[in-house]
Each structure stands twice: as C-alpha cells, then as structure tokens.
Amino acid sequence: MKVPVITIDGPSASGKGTVAACVASRLGFHYLDSGSLYRLVALYADRVGIDWDDEPALARAALTLPVAFCDGGVLLDGNEATEAIRAEHIGIGASRVGALPAVRTALMQRQRDFRVAPGLVTDGRDMGSVVFPDADLKIFLTASADERATRRYKQLIDKGESANLPQIRQDIIDRDQRDAARPVAPLRQEPDALLLDTTALTIDQAVEAVLSWFAAKSSDC
Ligand code: C5P
C-alpha cells in the first residue's frame, strides 16, 4: 500500500518546519526536515575544507554523509550537530550547495527512504515538485518577508544571541532570490500545491488548516 506523504514547501523562516513537525506528531507520522540534509552537507564541507562550489566533492559527501536523526536532534559522524547546522552562515552554505544539481541528485534517495508507514510529513523547497511528486497533500507555506524576519529575530533574541533585524530581513530576501532563481528545483508554488499564508496565523491555526485539508483529501479517496 502507498505510504501517505504530506509535503510542505516554502521560503526560509516561514515556520514550515514547526508546522510540519506538529502535523507529523498529531498524525503519528514520521517527519523529515529536508533542509537539515543540505545544512549538514554545508557544515561537513566547512569542517573538512571542501569548497561550497566544489560540486563533485560535495555530491560524494552528500551520498555517504554519516548522519543520524534521533529525539528531534541530528548527529554528524556521531557528534551532536543540531545547533551547529542552524548557524546563519551554514544556512547560506546550504543554499549554495543546494543550487548544485549533483548534490540534489545525491540526496534524492536519502530523502525518499524516509517514506515509511504509517506516513511522512516533510518540509523543504522541492518536496512536492521533485522528491515526492505523488504526495497526497502538497502545501506551499509562506509569510511576508517582514513577518519572517521578525520571527527569526525573536528566535535569536530568545536564544540570547545578538541579532540585527534589517540584516536578517536582507539575508532572507537574498536567500529567497537565490532559491527561486536557481535552474534546478527552484522555490515556487506548484500548480497542485495549496497556498497557506501564515503572516496573520498562529502556529496552531496553520497546523489545523493542514490537518483539515489532509482529512478532506483522505475522505475523497
Ligand atoms: O529549510 P532551510 O532553511 O533549513 O534550508 C536551508 C537551505 O537548504 C535553503 O535555503 C535551500 O537553499 C536549501 N534547501 C533546498 N531544498 C530543500 C530544502 C532546503 O534547496 N528541499
């Protein structure tokens, strides 16, 4: 039997990861944060001295990267990497390595392997368009650049880190442009994806919207 998949794609700092993880937990499904794989490739490259433009070396690393997901965290080569992959410069590196076709191909099967019963909720940029084109429900989750910058700013301040709101806003806009302009798997709303604009929604409201769409789709079958 086909294992159900819900894909939630959208721009950076839109809250799609939080919404996707909550939906997965409410349904008892597995959860894949595909961005973490791109971030892990960038972090690994940074640590071992592979340039973020060295496509063949990055693709080889992406194929064999020793990663493990457990208890909401991630290990790289057996070492805790949950916080390290969230650093701003690693996000920029992830966007650089994610623009390389050979890296995307290398990560394809690793992502598909997460499709295990009873179901999967996944978030990223091309989950519905490329990795799981037959997904049961596809969502494009977004929010205004101002709202996303403010959310990211608050997250950093809450963690006790210094943050500069205009700089964060500019980084978000630059990253969106790079993700949308690349020739492979660009960031965009596909025709078969439902738009969920969370600018004025709470996380709970966004989660409920996804769950009700999924319930409606499931009752159609
Ligand atoms: O979602 P997150 O911000 O963690 O992703 C980091 C970067 O990884 C994105 O800016 C994007 O360039 C890349 N990415 C991607 N395809 C995905 C997930 C993330 O290209 N499915």
Side-chain angles (χ1 to χ4, degrees):
M1 218 179 76
K2 202 181 111 185
V3 175
V5 180
I6 300 174
T7 59
I8 304 184
D9 289 306
S12 46
S14 57
K16 59 189 187 315
T18 309
V19 172
C22 288
V23 170
S25 145
R26 290 275 295 273
L27 293 172
F29 283 10
H30 301 280
Y31 167 55
L32 167 64
D33 162 14
S34 64
S36 68
L37 291 172
Y38 290 90
R39 287 173 180 270
L40 283 158
V41 173
L43 177 67
Y44 178 78
D46 205 36
R47 288 189 174 165
V48 302
I50 299 174
D51 198 274
W52 283 338
D53 296 320
D54 185 345
E55 188 167 4
L58 289 165
R60 273 194 302 278
L63 265 184
T64 55
L65 207 62
V67 303
F69 293 90
C70 57
D71 299 331
V74 59
L75 302 177
L76 175 59
D77 221 353
N79 298 310
E80 181 56 50
T82 316
E83 280 296 313
I85 60 167
R86 295 290 145 208
E88 289 301 301
H89 83 285
I90 295 300
I92 293 166
S95 162
R96 293 257 303 272
V97 306
L100 304 172
V103 173
R104 305 200 74 82
T105 305
L107 289 179
M108 182 78 85
Q109 193 55 46
R110 294 188 87 140
Q111 295 172 89
R112 289 185 174 156
D113 289 344
F114 282 83
R115 188 173 192 167
V116 174
L120 174 68
V121 184
T122 179
D123 76 86
R125 303 295 184 288
D126 62 341
M127 295 296 97
S129 54
V130 178
V131 182
F132 300 105
D134 65 335
D136 301 72
L137 174 64
K138 300 181 186 182
I139 290 166
F140 188 80
L141 189 151
T142 190
S144 70
D146 283 343
E147 177 63 22
R148 287 185 285 133
T150 305
R151 289 177 190 168
R152 183 79 188 120
Y153 175 81
K154 284 184 184 150
Q155 265 175 8
L156 292 169
I157 296 295
D158 286 350
K159 280 200 287 182
E161 292 178 25
S162 64
N164 173 320
L165 187 57
Q167 184 60 52
I168 291 173
R169 187 174 180 283
Q170 194 53 51
D171 286 348
I172 280 178
I173 290 169
D174 291 348
R175 184 125 67 96
D176 287 353
Q177 277 169 355
R178 199 164 41 238
D179 289 348
R182 68 186 178 205
V184 277
L187 169 71
R188 64 164 177 241
Q189 184 189 352
E190 294 294 324
D192 58 351
L194 300 174
L195 178 66
L196 182 56
D197 186 333
T198 68
T199 305
L201 296 185
T202 64
I203 290 165
D204 284 349
Q205 287 170 325
V207 169
E208 289 306 328
V210 177
L211 289 171
S212 66
W213 279 333
F214 184 60
K217 287 260 179 185
S218 305
S219 66
D220 285 350
C221 302

Short mmCIF file of all heavy atoms in Angstrom, two decimals, residues 128-178:
data_model
loop_
_atom_site.label_atom_id
_atom_site.label_comp_id
_atom_site.label_asym_id
_atom_site.label_seq_id
_atom_site.Cartn_x
_atom_site.Cartn_y
_atom_site.Cartn_z
N GLY A 128 7.31 18.59 -2.83
CA GLY A 128 6.13 18.25 -3.63
C GLY A 128 6.42 18.20 -5.12
O GLY A 128 5.83 17.41 -5.85
N SER A 129 7.37 19.03 -5.57
CA SER A 129 7.60 19.12 -7.02
C SER A 129 8.54 18.04 -7.53
O SER A 129 8.36 17.53 -8.63
CB SER A 129 8.17 20.51 -7.37
OG SER A 129 9.32 20.77 -6.58
N VAL A 130 9.55 17.67 -6.75
CA VAL A 130 10.60 16.77 -7.26
C VAL A 130 10.71 15.47 -6.46
O VAL A 130 10.72 14.38 -7.03
CB VAL A 130 11.98 17.49 -7.26
CG1 VAL A 130 13.08 16.56 -7.74
CG2 VAL A 130 11.93 18.75 -8.11
N VAL A 131 10.81 15.57 -5.15
CA VAL A 131 11.15 14.38 -4.36
C VAL A 131 9.93 13.46 -4.17
O VAL A 131 10.03 12.25 -4.33
CB VAL A 131 11.78 14.77 -3.00
CG1 VAL A 131 12.19 13.53 -2.21
CG2 VAL A 131 13.00 15.66 -3.24
N PHE A 132 8.77 14.06 -3.87
CA PHE A 132 7.55 13.25 -3.69
C PHE A 132 6.44 13.80 -4.58
O PHE A 132 5.43 14.33 -4.09
CB PHE A 132 7.11 13.26 -2.21
CG PHE A 132 8.14 12.71 -1.27
CD1 PHE A 132 8.88 13.56 -0.45
CD2 PHE A 132 8.39 11.34 -1.19
CE1 PHE A 132 9.84 13.06 0.43
CE2 PHE A 132 9.36 10.83 -0.32
CZ PHE A 132 10.09 11.70 0.49
N PRO A 133 6.61 13.68 -5.92
CA PRO A 133 5.61 14.28 -6.81
C PRO A 133 4.22 13.66 -6.66
O PRO A 133 3.23 14.29 -7.03
CB PRO A 133 6.18 14.02 -8.22
CG PRO A 133 7.22 12.97 -8.05
CD PRO A 133 7.72 13.02 -6.64
N ASP A 134 4.14 12.44 -6.10
CA ASP A 134 2.82 11.80 -5.92
C ASP A 134 2.27 12.00 -4.51
O ASP A 134 1.42 11.23 -4.06
CB ASP A 134 2.94 10.29 -6.23
CG ASP A 134 3.84 9.58 -5.22
OD1 ASP A 134 4.72 10.25 -4.62
OD2 ASP A 134 3.68 8.36 -5.02
N ALA A 135 2.75 13.03 -3.81
CA ALA A 135 2.31 13.26 -2.42
C ALA A 135 0.78 13.41 -2.35
O ALA A 135 0.16 13.89 -3.30
CB ALA A 135 2.98 14.52 -1.87
N ASP A 136 0.22 13.00 -1.22
CA ASP A 136 -1.23 13.05 -1.04
C ASP A 136 -1.72 14.49 -0.85
O ASP A 136 -2.84 14.82 -1.24
CB ASP A 136 -1.62 12.22 0.19
CG ASP A 136 -1.17 10.79 0.02
OD1 ASP A 136 0.05 10.53 0.10
OD2 ASP A 136 -2.03 9.93 -0.24
N LEU A 137 -0.90 15.30 -0.20
CA LEU A 137 -1.27 16.70 0.02
C LEU A 137 -0.01 17.54 -0.13
O LEU A 137 1.01 17.24 0.50
CB LEU A 137 -1.86 16.87 1.43
CG LEU A 137 -2.16 18.30 1.86
CD1 LEU A 137 -3.26 18.93 1.00
CD2 LEU A 137 -2.59 18.35 3.33
N LYS A 138 -0.09 18.58 -0.97
CA LYS A 138 1.07 19.47 -1.18
C LYS A 138 0.68 20.88 -0.75
O LYS A 138 -0.35 21.40 -1.20
CB LYS A 138 1.47 19.49 -2.66
CG LYS A 138 1.86 18.12 -3.20
CD LYS A 138 2.27 18.21 -4.65
CE LYS A 138 2.52 16.83 -5.23
NZ LYS A 138 2.97 16.88 -6.63
N ILE A 139 1.53 21.46 0.06
CA ILE A 139 1.25 22.80 0.58
C ILE A 139 2.43 23.72 0.28
O ILE A 139 3.59 23.30 0.40
CB ILE A 139 0.97 22.73 2.09
CG1 ILE A 139 -0.38 22.03 2.28
CG2 ILE A 139 0.94 24.11 2.73
CD1 ILE A 139 -0.64 21.60 3.67
N PHE A 140 2.13 24.94 -0.08
CA PHE A 140 3.16 25.98 -0.19
C PHE A 140 2.89 26.95 0.95
O PHE A 140 1.89 27.67 0.95
CB PHE A 140 3.10 26.68 -1.55
CG PHE A 140 4.26 27.60 -1.78
CD1 PHE A 140 5.49 27.11 -2.16
CD2 PHE A 140 4.13 28.97 -1.59
CE1 PHE A 140 6.58 27.95 -2.36
CE2 PHE A 140 5.21 29.83 -1.79
CZ PHE A 140 6.43 29.31 -2.18
N LEU A 141 3.78 26.91 1.95
CA LEU A 141 3.56 27.71 3.16
C LEU A 141 4.49 28.92 3.13
O LEU A 141 5.70 28.78 2.97
CB LEU A 141 3.84 26.83 4.38
CG LEU A 141 3.46 27.41 5.75
CD1 LEU A 141 3.10 26.29 6.71
CD2 LEU A 141 4.58 28.24 6.33
N THR A 142 3.90 30.09 3.29
CA THR A 142 4.72 31.29 3.24
C THR A 142 4.23 32.33 4.24
O THR A 142 3.24 32.11 4.95
CB THR A 142 4.75 31.86 1.79
OG1 THR A 142 5.73 32.89 1.74
CG2 THR A 142 3.40 32.41 1.37
N ALA A 143 4.97 33.42 4.33
CA ALA A 143 4.57 34.58 5.14
C ALA A 143 5.35 35.75 4.57
O ALA A 143 6.36 35.54 3.85
CB ALA A 143 4.92 34.36 6.62
N SER A 144 4.94 36.97 4.86
CA SER A 144 5.65 38.13 4.30
C SER A 144 7.10 38.14 4.78
O SER A 144 7.42 37.60 5.85
CB SER A 144 4.95 39.42 4.72
OG SER A 144 5.16 39.62 6.10
N ALA A 145 7.98 38.78 4.01
CA ALA A 145 9.41 38.85 4.40
C ALA A 145 9.56 39.56 5.74
O ALA A 145 10.39 39.15 6.58
CB ALA A 145 10.21 39.55 3.31
N ASP A 146 8.76 40.60 5.98
CA ASP A 146 8.84 41.33 7.26
C ASP A 146 8.49 40.41 8.43
O ASP A 146 9.18 40.38 9.46
CB ASP A 146 7.87 42.52 7.27
CG ASP A 146 8.43 43.68 6.46
OD1 ASP A 146 9.64 43.68 6.19
OD2 ASP A 146 7.64 44.57 6.10
N GLU A 147 7.41 39.66 8.25
CA GLU A 147 6.96 38.76 9.33
C GLU A 147 8.01 37.66 9.57
O GLU A 147 8.34 37.33 10.71
CB GLU A 147 5.60 38.15 8.93
CG GLU A 147 5.04 37.14 9.91
CD GLU A 147 4.73 37.71 11.28
OE1 GLU A 147 4.55 38.93 11.41
OE2 GLU A 147 4.70 36.91 12.25
N ARG A 148 8.57 37.12 8.50
CA ARG A 148 9.57 36.06 8.66
C ARG A 148 10.83 36.58 9.34
O ARG A 148 11.41 35.92 10.19
CB ARG A 148 9.90 35.44 7.29
CG ARG A 148 8.74 34.57 6.77
CD ARG A 148 9.08 33.86 5.50
NE ARG A 148 9.07 34.72 4.33
CZ ARG A 148 10.01 34.75 3.40
NH1 ARG A 148 11.07 33.98 3.50
NH2 ARG A 148 9.91 35.53 2.36
N ALA A 149 11.23 37.80 8.97
CA ALA A 149 12.43 38.39 9.60
C ALA A 149 12.16 38.63 11.09
O ALA A 149 13.03 38.35 11.93
CB ALA A 149 12.77 39.70 8.90
N THR A 150 10.97 39.11 11.42
CA THR A 150 10.65 39.37 12.83
C THR A 150 10.65 38.06 13.64
O THR A 150 11.18 38.00 14.75
CB THR A 150 9.26 40.04 12.93
OG1 THR A 150 9.29 41.20 12.11
CG2 THR A 150 8.93 40.44 14.34
N ARG A 151 10.09 36.99 13.06
CA ARG A 151 10.07 35.70 13.76
C ARG A 151 11.49 35.21 14.02
O ARG A 151 11.82 34.73 15.09
CB ARG A 151 9.31 34.65 12.94
CG ARG A 151 7.81 34.89 12.90
CD ARG A 151 7.16 33.83 12.00
NE ARG A 151 5.77 34.13 11.72
CZ ARG A 151 5.04 33.51 10.80
NH1 ARG A 151 5.58 32.56 10.06
NH2 ARG A 151 3.79 33.82 10.60
N ARG A 152 12.32 35.31 12.99
CA ARG A 152 13.72 34.83 13.11
C ARG A 152 14.46 35.67 14.15
O ARG A 152 15.23 35.15 14.95
CB ARG A 152 14.39 34.93 11.73
CG ARG A 152 15.79 34.41 11.70
CD ARG A 152 15.83 32.89 11.62
NE ARG A 152 17.19 32.41 11.78
CZ ARG A 152 17.59 31.60 12.74
NH1 ARG A 152 16.74 31.12 13.62
NH2 ARG A 152 18.84 31.22 12.82
N TYR A 153 14.23 36.98 14.12
CA TYR A 153 14.87 37.90 15.07
C TYR A 153 14.50 37.50 16.51
O TYR A 153 15.38 37.38 17.37
CB TYR A 153 14.39 39.32 14.75
CG TYR A 153 14.87 40.38 15.72
CD1 TYR A 153 16.14 40.92 15.60
CD2 TYR A 153 14.04 40.83 16.75
CE1 TYR A 153 16.59 41.89 16.49
CE2 TYR A 153 14.47 41.80 17.64
CZ TYR A 153 15.75 42.33 17.50
OH TYR A 153 16.19 43.27 18.38
N LYS A 154 13.20 37.25 16.73
CA LYS A 154 12.76 36.88 18.09
C LYS A 154 13.39 35.56 18.54
O LYS A 154 13.80 35.41 19.68
CB LYS A 154 11.23 36.76 18.13
CG LYS A 154 10.54 38.10 18.15
CD LYS A 154 9.04 37.93 18.30
CE LYS A 154 8.32 39.26 18.23
NZ LYS A 154 6.96 39.12 17.69
N GLN A 155 13.47 34.62 17.60
CA GLN A 155 14.10 33.32 17.93
C GLN A 155 15.52 33.53 18.42
O GLN A 155 15.94 32.96 19.42
CB GLN A 155 14.19 32.45 16.66
CG GLN A 155 13.07 31.47 16.46
CD GLN A 155 13.24 30.78 15.10
OE1 GLN A 155 14.26 30.95 14.42
NE2 GLN A 155 12.24 30.01 14.71
N LEU A 156 16.29 34.35 17.70
CA LEU A 156 17.70 34.57 18.06
C LEU A 156 17.80 35.29 19.40
O LEU A 156 18.62 34.92 20.25
CB LEU A 156 18.41 35.38 16.96
CG LEU A 156 18.61 34.64 15.63
CD1 LEU A 156 19.07 35.59 14.54
CD2 LEU A 156 19.62 33.50 15.80
N ILE A 157 16.96 36.30 19.62
CA ILE A 157 16.98 37.04 20.88
C ILE A 157 16.62 36.10 22.04
O ILE A 157 17.27 36.11 23.10
CB ILE A 157 16.01 38.25 20.81
CG1 ILE A 157 16.49 39.24 19.75
CG2 ILE A 157 15.85 38.93 22.17
CD1 ILE A 157 17.82 39.92 20.02
N ASP A 158 15.60 35.26 21.81
CA ASP A 158 15.19 34.30 22.87
C ASP A 158 16.33 33.35 23.23
O ASP A 158 16.43 32.86 24.34
CB ASP A 158 13.97 33.47 22.41
CG ASP A 158 12.70 34.31 22.45
OD1 ASP A 158 12.76 35.43 23.00
OD2 ASP A 158 11.67 33.86 21.92
N LYS A 159 17.19 33.06 22.21
CA LYS A 159 18.32 32.16 22.48
C LYS A 159 19.50 32.90 23.10
O LYS A 159 20.56 32.33 23.33
CB LYS A 159 18.79 31.50 21.17
CG LYS A 159 17.91 30.33 20.75
CD LYS A 159 18.60 29.40 19.77
CE LYS A 159 18.72 29.99 18.39
NZ LYS A 159 19.34 29.12 17.39
N GLY A 160 19.32 34.22 23.30
CA GLY A 160 20.39 35.02 23.91
C GLY A 160 21.46 35.44 22.92
O GLY A 160 22.54 35.86 23.31
N GLU A 161 21.15 35.31 21.61
CA GLU A 161 22.14 35.69 20.60
C GLU A 161 21.89 37.13 20.15
O GLU A 161 20.77 37.64 20.28
CB GLU A 161 22.05 34.74 19.39
CG GLU A 161 22.50 33.33 19.75
CD GLU A 161 22.38 32.36 18.58
OE1 GLU A 161 22.41 32.80 17.43
OE2 GLU A 161 22.25 31.17 18.86
N SER A 162 22.93 37.78 19.61
CA SER A 162 22.71 39.14 19.10
C SER A 162 22.07 39.02 17.72
O SER A 162 22.31 38.04 17.00
CB SER A 162 24.03 39.89 19.03
OG SER A 162 24.86 39.26 18.11
N ALA A 163 21.27 40.02 17.36
CA ALA A 163 20.58 39.95 16.08
C ALA A 163 20.32 41.35 15.55
O ALA A 163 20.08 42.27 16.32
CB ALA A 163 19.26 39.20 16.25
N ASN A 164 20.36 41.46 14.23
CA ASN A 164 20.16 42.75 13.58
C ASN A 164 19.00 42.57 12.59
O ASN A 164 19.15 41.87 11.58
CB ASN A 164 21.47 43.11 12.87
CG ASN A 164 21.35 44.34 12.01
OD1 ASN A 164 20.35 44.56 11.33
ND2 ASN A 164 22.37 45.16 12.04
N LEU A 165 17.85 43.17 12.93
CA LEU A 165 16.63 42.91 12.14
C LEU A 165 16.77 43.26 10.65
O LEU A 165 16.44 42.42 9.80
CB LEU A 165 15.43 43.63 12.79
CG LEU A 165 14.06 43.35 12.19
CD1 LEU A 165 13.72 41.87 12.19
CD2 LEU A 165 12.99 44.13 12.94
N PRO A 166 17.29 44.46 10.30
CA PRO A 166 17.40 44.76 8.86
C PRO A 166 18.32 43.77 8.13
O PRO A 166 18.06 43.38 7.00
CB PRO A 166 18.00 46.18 8.83
CG PRO A 166 17.70 46.75 10.18
CD PRO A 166 17.67 45.61 11.14
N GLN A 167 19.39 43.34 8.82
CA GLN A 167 20.32 42.38 8.20
C GLN A 167 19.63 41.03 7.99
O GLN A 167 19.77 40.40 6.93
CB GLN A 167 21.56 42.21 9.10
CG GLN A 167 22.63 41.31 8.52
CD GLN A 167 23.16 41.84 7.18
OE1 GLN A 167 23.56 42.99 7.09
NE2 GLN A 167 23.12 41.01 6.14
N ILE A 168 18.87 40.60 9.00
CA ILE A 168 18.15 39.32 8.88
C ILE A 168 17.17 39.38 7.72
O ILE A 168 17.06 38.45 6.91
CB ILE A 168 17.40 39.00 10.20
CG1 ILE A 168 18.41 38.68 11.30
CG2 ILE A 168 16.43 37.84 10.02
CD1 ILE A 168 17.80 38.53 12.67
N ARG A 169 16.45 40.52 7.63
CA ARG A 169 15.45 40.69 6.56
C ARG A 169 16.15 40.60 5.20
O ARG A 169 15.67 39.92 4.29
CB ARG A 169 14.75 42.03 6.74
CG ARG A 169 13.60 42.24 5.80
CD ARG A 169 12.86 43.54 6.12
NE ARG A 169 11.76 43.71 5.20
CZ ARG A 169 11.90 44.12 3.94
NH1 ARG A 169 13.11 44.40 3.48
NH2 ARG A 169 10.85 44.25 3.15
N GLN A 170 17.30 41.27 5.08
CA GLN A 170 18.02 41.25 3.80
C GLN A 170 18.52 39.84 3.47
O GLN A 170 18.42 39.39 2.33
CB GLN A 170 19.20 42.25 3.86
CG GLN A 170 19.79 42.56 2.50
CD GLN A 170 18.75 43.03 1.48
OE1 GLN A 170 17.97 43.93 1.75
NE2 GLN A 170 18.71 42.38 0.31
N ASP A 171 19.04 39.13 4.49
CA ASP A 171 19.51 37.75 4.26
C ASP A 171 18.37 36.87 3.77
O ASP A 171 18.55 36.01 2.89
CB ASP A 171 20.10 37.15 5.55
CG ASP A 171 21.47 37.74 5.87
OD1 ASP A 171 22.05 38.42 5.01
OD2 ASP A 171 21.95 37.52 7.01
N ILE A 172 17.19 37.05 4.37
CA ILE A 172 16.02 36.24 3.99
C ILE A 172 15.64 36.53 2.53
O ILE A 172 15.40 35.61 1.74
CB ILE A 172 14.84 36.54 4.95
CG1 ILE A 172 15.04 35.76 6.25
CG2 ILE A 172 13.49 36.21 4.32
CD1 ILE A 172 13.99 36.00 7.31
N ILE A 173 15.64 37.80 2.17
CA ILE A 173 15.28 38.17 0.79
C ILE A 173 16.33 37.62 -0.20
O ILE A 173 15.98 37.04 -1.23
CB ILE A 173 15.15 39.71 0.66
CG1 ILE A 173 13.90 40.15 1.43
CG2 ILE A 173 15.07 40.14 -0.80
CD1 ILE A 173 13.78 41.65 1.61
N ASP A 174 17.62 37.73 0.17
CA ASP A 174 18.68 37.22 -0.71
C ASP A 174 18.55 35.71 -0.89
O ASP A 174 18.70 35.18 -1.99
CB ASP A 174 20.06 37.52 -0.13
CG ASP A 174 20.39 39.00 -0.17
OD1 ASP A 174 19.66 39.76 -0.83
OD2 ASP A 174 21.37 39.40 0.51
N ARG A 175 18.27 35.02 0.23
CA ARG A 175 18.18 33.55 0.16
C ARG A 175 16.97 33.14 -0.68
O ARG A 175 17.06 32.24 -1.51
CB ARG A 175 18.07 32.97 1.59
CG ARG A 175 18.08 31.47 1.63
CD ARG A 175 19.17 30.94 2.55
NE ARG A 175 18.94 31.26 3.95
CZ ARG A 175 18.37 30.43 4.81
NH1 ARG A 175 17.94 29.25 4.40
NH2 ARG A 175 18.25 30.75 6.07
N ASP A 176 15.84 33.83 -0.51
CA ASP A 176 14.65 33.54 -1.33
C ASP A 176 14.98 33.69 -2.81
O ASP A 176 14.60 32.87 -3.63
CB ASP A 176 13.51 34.53 -1.03
CG ASP A 176 12.86 34.30 0.32
OD1 ASP A 176 13.19 33.30 0.97
OD2 ASP A 176 12.01 35.14 0.70
N GLN A 177 15.71 34.80 -3.11
CA GLN A 177 16.01 35.06 -4.52
C GLN A 177 16.91 33.98 -5.09
O GLN A 177 16.70 33.49 -6.19
CB GLN A 177 16.66 36.44 -4.69
CG GLN A 177 15.60 37.53 -4.73
CD GLN A 177 16.18 38.92 -4.61
OE1 GLN A 177 17.38 39.09 -4.40
NE2 GLN A 177 15.32 39.92 -4.71
N ARG A 178 17.92 33.57 -4.29
CA ARG A 178 18.84 32.52 -4.77
C ARG A 178 18.06 31.20 -4.95
O ARG A 178 18.23 30.51 -5.93
CB ARG A 178 19.98 32.36 -3.75
CG ARG A 178 21.18 31.68 -4.31
CD ARG A 178 22.43 31.85 -3.46
NE ARG A 178 22.17 31.73 -2.04
CZ ARG A 178 22.44 32.67 -1.14
NH1 ARG A 178 23.00 33.78 -1.50
NH2 ARG A 178 22.19 32.47 0.13
#
